[in-house]
Amino acid sequence: MRFETMALHNGNEIDPHTGAASIPIYQASTFHQFSVDQPGVFDYARSGNPTRQALENAIAKLEGGCRGYAFASGMAAISTVFLLFSRGDHLIVSQDVYGGTYRFLTQVLSRMGIKTTFVDTSNLQAIEAAISPQTKAIYVETPSNPLLKVSDLRRIVKIAKNYNLLTIVDNTFLTPYFQQPLSLGVDIVVHSATKFISGHSDVVAGLVVVKDLDLAEQIRFLQNSFGAILGVQDSWLTLRGLKTLSARLETSTKNAEILACWLEQHPMIKKVYYTGLPTHPGHQVQTEQASGHGAVLSFDVGSGAIARQILSKVQLPIVAVSLGAVESILSYPAKMSHAAMPPEVRLQHGITDGLLRLSVGLENVEDIIQDLAQAIETKVSIMISRK
Amino acid sequence: MRIETKLAQIGTKKARTTGSINFPIYLATAYEHIGGVSTGYDYARSSNPTRHILEESIAMLEKGDAGFACSSGMAAIQTIMGLFSQGDHLIVSMDLYGGTYRLFEQVLNRYGIQFSYVDLRDIKAVEEAIQPQTKALFIETPTNPLMHVTDLQAITRLSKQYQLWTIVDNTFMTPYLLNPLELGANIVIHSATKYLGGHNDVLAGLIVTKGDELSERVRFLQQSIGATLSPMDSYLLMRGMKTLALRMERHQANAQGLAHFLKEHPLVDEVFFPEFDPNSKRILSEQAKGYGGMLSFRVKEAKLVQPFLEQLQVFTFAESLGGVESLLTYPATQTHADVPADIRQKVGVCDRLLRVSVGVEHIEDLEQDLAQALQRSEEIVYGSESK
Ligand SMILES: Cc1ncc(COP(=O)(O)O)c(C=O)c1O
Ligand SMILES: Cc1ncc(COP(=O)(O)O)c(C=O)c1O
């Protein structure tokens, strides 16, 4: 069965009791036990809830994994996965990982005795050089945020297997529609389902999918013990979003491709980051391991002043953090997603004051182009009067 | 303002533009930076208007400085544990909720955080357990399921002397009956799944902190770990809290009635209810406004348990507590299944122990149900020869 079909027909969409075409919202925290000796499938909603389970089963199918787990946010999913490790363990993580993941690793997990080395995971030698006897896992975000650096998952998995390491991939940007890391040999996939999977800027959610039953048991234990689970109504909303994932991503990716080309030719734009452009260094690997380039692109306008001008002049995209929604969202990484990163580290990673990230939505692309054009081309002199 | 009034008025007069009595459910994850400036809301994991009202309300009800809503009680506890680092030590109530015990012993231990389980009724034993690495006391009072009551004033005096934090799990008493922060505690946590939500329909956790520095640290952890409560569950929780005062009054009256009824019953060995223990009774009369709605009891023989549970008609045999419906729990296989059998025996969670969360039904129906189920189980186990 192909992805578009499986998103709608995966065995978790029909209520078995009534035939309802949408799984009911089981707003129950606890479940009656009909027998003392034979516990029911559900006992307490932190351990399992039928609505949440429908979502967990659906994402497991779509990612080609054996089990899925739903969490209160992408960070809750990521925090839970990191609880697999213990004091003394060492992790290798993509250098330009999402700012919240960076913050959790450097300010929370580090105090628990877990060390992290941040490396450019698009550079395989750098990964190998960072491995030590304590290393337990390689954690990769590809394409990365916001510079869309591509890491070669097949080759990373090979290295990881050589050294007996787990590989964990944050698949938020591409979703299983474009990229299925488990099929490339990865062990664990994490998602901020707040983004494309839900797709409507109305749910904060996280998902984890694992490849084998042993890992599944460990994640299930941690999900229940730590309790950072996804609420029932949010589980239902996420399932609802999932049904249109392929249609949404097709349209917004097409829009992103057109915009990337337009921006690349614009004289005021210093640089465009989009893996769909043949000039992007990760273009080739991306084409080999994913079936599309996604709907997020970044561009450098040269200075903080011009970036601010554009942010205040655009009419269509909402200026906000977040991405992956039906609406276009324009964000300013230096002040938003990567504000938690020290400026010198941020600049070293290429996240300049002139960098803007655009998550392209479902609007007509001509309207977005017109809007960006007027925002970019306004006279810079306006900005000079600013303090 | 008295607590009944504060509870009924949760969220009122806050929706300024519409005058809506109930605060709206804001599903939005992203918030536009209007004119380039943040409205104070950026991204829903960090802060969401609906969750904010809940957080403000619980802070006020617990007389603290800041409130935080998490996806479950366990998520609240894990978030608070983020305050500690490898090498730290905590002193903890002996008969702790099984899930908290599991988190401490099977997850946090791996990070080099150590826990000593002490009978907190014995202040001398507590003082003896303090080590140079001790950072905090974690208290459940009354404990689950044996209803041991801790003298919070005496404990916080001790923790101040040794510069330790006092963390109180106030799930059983709720702010309606007890305000640990007023007695010198630094942090209160709740499984709001229980009395605060009150309807067995929401899984939620709450944290209230005292002091700006501590509040800032917890805010950081809530956002970094990301185990936040969804807007819809935040709304449902506030809806539940509006009737907390009424419900607690009825829970208590019913619990007291049932406790006396069970105490007289020939098939019951022992009833655990704070009123029956002179020390607990004295402490609660000084520090709290009542005994709460929970009780436990031991039947004469373990073999009565199964038929008894199967004969119940009004009570639901399920894991959880604090809802309007009466629930019966068998701690040995449910809430405390993750506590090793020898420790379970030591603290008195034996296989004859049953825990009752007394609901708000009519007391006579509850009494009749227990009476008939006890009688039927006697007939099943002993046959007619017992007569
Ligand atoms: C790539 C990536 N991973 C993880 C996260 C964290 O997810 P959430 O915001 O749902 O906690 C985000 C988003 O903010 C993200 O962009
Ligand atoms: C006293 C106490 N604390 C904490 C918890 C954990 O809360 P939750 O089940 O909401 O995660 C529970 C309940 O299960 C509890 O009874």
Side-chain angles (χ1 to χ4, degrees):
Chain A
M1 201 186 276
R2 289 151 202 89
F3 188 94
E4 292 82 346
T5 314
M6 214 198 297
L8 297 165
H9 304 278
N10 52 58
N12 298 290
E13 59 283 347
I14 309 286
D15 172 35
H17 305 295
T18 61
S22 159
I23 202 88
I25 298 174
Y26 283 89
Q27 194 71 53
S29 63
T30 190
F31 299 84
H32 178 70
Q33 301 302 301
F34 291 96
S35 151
V36 187
D37 281 339
Q38 287 185 312
V41 183
F42 300 100
D43 52 12
Y44 185 61
R46 176 156 35 72
S47 326
N49 171 290
T51 313
R52 193 178 88 218
Q53 195 182 65
L55 169 64
E56 294 177 331
N57 289 346
I59 190 67
K61 275 254 168 90
L62 295 176
E63 280 285 7
C66 83
R67 293 274 191 285
Y69 300 92
F71 295 90
S73 67
M75 282 320 302
I78 292 167
S79 305
T80 302
V81 166
F82 281 136
L83 288 180
L84 286 169
F85 306 104
S86 303
R87 180 168 59 142
D89 289 350
H90 171 251
L91 308 171
I92 294 172
V93 176
S94 295
Q95 190 169 57
D96 44 0
V97 74
Y98 168 63
T101 309
Y102 177 85
R103 177 174 57 198
F104 182 74
L105 286 164
T106 54
Q107 296 190 52
V108 182
L109 265 198
S110 57
R111 285 192 285 103
M112 311 286 176
I114 293 178
K115 293 210 169 63
T116 306
T117 306
F118 294 93
V119 307
D120 179 352
T121 47
S122 65
N123 177 349
L124 298 170
Q125 275 150 5
I127 296 179
E128 212 155 352
I131 296 175
S132 75
Q134 289 74 38
T135 308
K136 289 282 158 28
I138 305 175
Y139 181 100
V140 180
E141 227 177 272
T142 182
S144 72
N145 177 11
L147 296 180
L148 301 151
K149 270 194 189 152
V150 178
S151 299
D152 187 333
L153 290 178
R154 279 194 191 87
R155 292 207 166 79
I156 289 174
V157 165
K158 216 170 182 187
I159 296 176
K161 293 239 157 88
N162 275 344
Y163 291 89
N164 232 334
L165 311 178
L166 283 178
T167 37
I168 306 165
V169 170
D170 182 332
N171 202 23
T172 301
F173 271 43
L174 289 181
T175 83
Y177 180 59
F178 284 136
Q179 176 171 279
Q180 296 175 356
L182 299 181
S183 73
L184 305 172
V186 165
D187 301 292
I188 303 176
V189 167
V190 298
H191 278 285
S192 169
T194 314
K195 310 297 150 62
F196 291 102
I197 287 185
S198 291
H200 293 70
S201 293
D202 58 4
V203 190
V204 178
L207 295 168
V208 173
V209 183
V210 296
K211 197 186 168 93
D212 66 50
L213 284 171
D214 177 44
L215 273 173
E217 191 39 47
Q218 293 184 54
I219 298 287
R220 190 205 59 78
F221 172 82
L222 291 169
Q223 181 192 41
N224 188 33
S225 298
F226 166 14
I229 46 84
L230 187 62
V232 188
Q233 307 199 31
D234 284 350
S235 296
W236 187 86
L237 279 178
T238 305
L239 262 176
R240 187 175 195 263
L242 205 48
K243 295 184 183 193
T244 54
L245 177 64
S246 63
R248 284 185 286 109
L249 268 178
E250 271 306 308
T251 304
S252 53
T253 301
K254 214 169 277 157
N255 285 351
E257 281 162 9
I258 296 168
L259 271 169
C261 295
W262 178 78
L263 283 165
E264 200 177 36
Q265 283 161 14
H266 196 289
M268 298 231 355
I269 304 299
K270 298 276 173 297
K271 191 156 182 168
V272 182
Y273 300 89
Y274 185 63
T275 64
L277 295 171
T279 49
H280 188 283
H283 176 75
Q284 187 55 35
V285 175
Q286 175 81 359
T287 328
E288 285 163 19
Q289 67 189 17
S291 57
H293 296 283
V296 180
L297 55 88
S298 295
F299 53 102
D300 197 327
V301 297
S303 76
I306 302 178
R308 282 163 192 271
Q309 166 202 316
I310 295 171
L311 288 165
S312 63
K313 286 283 162 195
V314 287
Q315 317 252 306
L316 269 186
I318 58 170
V319 174
V321 295
S322 202
L323 57 96
V326 290
E327 318 81 16
S328 293
I329 302 178
L330 185 64
S331 28
Y332 190 28
K335 288 269 175 272
M336 295 176 179
S337 56
H338 289 64
M341 205 177 254
E344 62 282 4
V345 180
R346 175 166 63 73
L347 287 174
Q348 187 195 323
H349 292 185
I351 302 162
T352 62
D353 292 340
L355 191 75
L356 292 171
R357 186 187 73 191
L358 183 61
S359 165
V360 185
L362 306 181
E363 300 91 348
N364 186 303
V365 67
E366 293 301 325
D367 288 330
I368 307 175
I369 288 178
Q370 265 174 26
D371 187 34
L372 279 181
Q374 65 79 23
I376 294 168
E377 280 149 26
T378 317
K379 288 240 160 31
V380 183
S381 60
I382 295 169
M383 304 307 296
I384 295 168
S385 62
R386 281 178 56 101
K387 287 245 170 67
Chain B
M1 209 186 274
R2 288 150 202 91
I3 189 160
E4 292 82 353
T5 314
K6 287 183 191 165
L7 285 165
Q9 293 283 341
I10 288 173
T12 60
K13 304 191 179 61
K14 303 270 186 193
R16 284 284 165 209
T17 48
T18 60
S20 162
I21 294 292
N22 290 309
F23 196 77
I25 302 173
Y26 279 83
L27 290 179
T29 55
Y31 294 79
E32 185 173 359
H33 287 209
I34 300 165
V37 185
S38 165
T39 59
Y41 295 103
D42 300 320
Y43 183 60
R45 174 162 33 77
S46 317
S47 182
N48 167 287
T50 311
R51 197 179 84 217
H52 181 79
I53 298 290
L54 166 65
E55 294 177 331
E56 205 177 68
S57 307
I58 190 66
M60 176 182 67
L61 293 167
E62 283 288 11
K63 307 188 163 96
D65 293 314
F68 305 93
C70 297
S71 56
S72 67
M74 287 320 303
I77 294 173
Q78 167 73 2
T79 299
I80 283 302
M81 288 299 137
L83 288 168
F84 304 105
S85 304
Q86 59 169 329
D88 288 351
H89 171 255
L90 283 90
I91 295 171
V92 178
S93 296
M94 181 118 94
D95 53 337
L96 203 59
Y97 166 62
T100 311
Y101 179 84
R102 175 178 58 200
L103 181 74
F104 289 176
E105 290 304 305
Q106 295 188 47
V107 182
L108 290 165
N109 252 350
R110 287 195 280 106
Y111 295 90
I113 300 173
Q114 304 290 333
F115 302 88
S116 297
Y117 300 86
V118 178
D119 186 342
L120 299 182
R121 292 172 301 178
D122 182 351
I123 296 285
K124 254 185 52 201
V126 178
E127 190 159 10
E128 275 160 21
I130 298 175
Q131 308 168 10
Q133 301 78 23
T134 307
K135 289 281 156 38
L137 289 151
F138 185 99
I139 303 169
E140 260 179 45
T141 179
T143 57
N144 177 6
L146 292 176
M147 313 302 294
H148 293 162
V149 172
T150 302
D151 183 341
L152 287 179
Q153 239 150 356
I155 285 277
T156 56
R157 222 176 291 131
L158 188 70
S159 38
K160 291 234 163 76
Q161 188 187 332
Y162 287 89
Q163 298 195 330
L164 312 176
W165 280 328
T166 310
I167 305 166
V168 177
D169 181 335
N170 200 24
T171 301
F172 272 36
M173 291 266 104
T174 82
Y176 180 67
L177 297 178
L178 175 70
N179 283 133
L181 298 180
E182 277 199 321
L183 300 171
N186 308 90
I187 301 174
V188 164
I189 61 118
H190 280 282
S191 169
T193 315
K194 312 295 149 65
Y195 288 108
L196 290 172
H199 293 70
N200 289 326
D201 57 3
V202 193
L203 210 59
L206 294 170
I207 302 169
V208 183
T209 48
K210 191 93 189 158
D212 291 342
E213 199 224 321
L214 189 56
S215 303
E216 255 337 289
R217 289 182 63 184
V218 174
R219 192 182 312 286
F220 171 83
L221 288 167
Q222 181 194 35
Q223 188 183 344
S224 299
I225 296 173
T228 49
L229 189 66
S230 75
M232 295 207 263
D233 286 344
S234 297
Y235 177 79
L236 279 179
L237 183 51
M238 287 193 273
R239 188 173 194 269
M241 284 161 65
K242 285 176 180 257
T243 57
L244 178 68
L246 286 64
R247 287 186 285 108
M248 283 314 280
E249 285 300 335
R250 176 71 69 82
H251 284 302
Q252 293 212 83
N254 281 357
Q256 203 161 14
L258 279 191
H260 284 274
F261 162 80
L262 285 166
K263 203 166 172 236
E264 301 305 320
H265 200 284
L267 288 177
V268 174
D269 245 1
E270 209 175 343
V271 178
F272 301 90
F273 186 64
E275 188 190 342
F276 299 154
D277 177 80
N279 262 327
S280 301
K281 189 173 172 176
R282 177 187 54 78
I283 296 167
L284 288 184
S285 71
E286 288 164 9
Q287 303 187 349
K289 279 201 313 195
Y291 302 124
M294 297 296 299
L295 61 92
S296 300
F297 64 98
R298 282 206 180 102
V299 289
K300 286 259 185 256
E301 285 194 83
K303 58 186 173 190
L304 289 165
V305 170
Q306 173 151 0
F308 169 70
L309 290 172
E310 281 170 2
Q311 295 305 321
L312 289 168
Q313 281 162 9
V314 177
F315 282 83
T316 296
F317 172 43
E319 191 169 329
S320 200
L321 61 99
V324 288
E325 304 91 356
S326 291
L327 300 188
L328 245 143
T329 305
Y330 188 36
T333 64
Q334 293 179 317
T335 50
H336 288 62
D338 282 302
V339 179
D342 53 325
I343 297 183
R344 224 162 51 210
Q345 289 295 339
K346 199 172 114 201
V347 301
V349 183
C350 71
D351 55 3
R352 289 185 292 130
L353 190 76
L354 289 158
R355 188 187 76 183
V356 192
S357 169
V358 186
V360 301
E361 300 92 343
H362 197 286
I363 179 73
E364 282 170 21
D365 289 326
L366 297 178
E367 273 182 21
Q368 277 169 18
D369 193 33
L370 291 183
Q372 68 78 21
L374 281 167
Q375 188 192 342
R376 291 277 295 127
S377 62
E378 183 184 30
E379 286 163 13
I380 291 165
V381 171
Y382 304 113
S384 42
E385 107 263 17
S386 73
K387 284 278 137 100

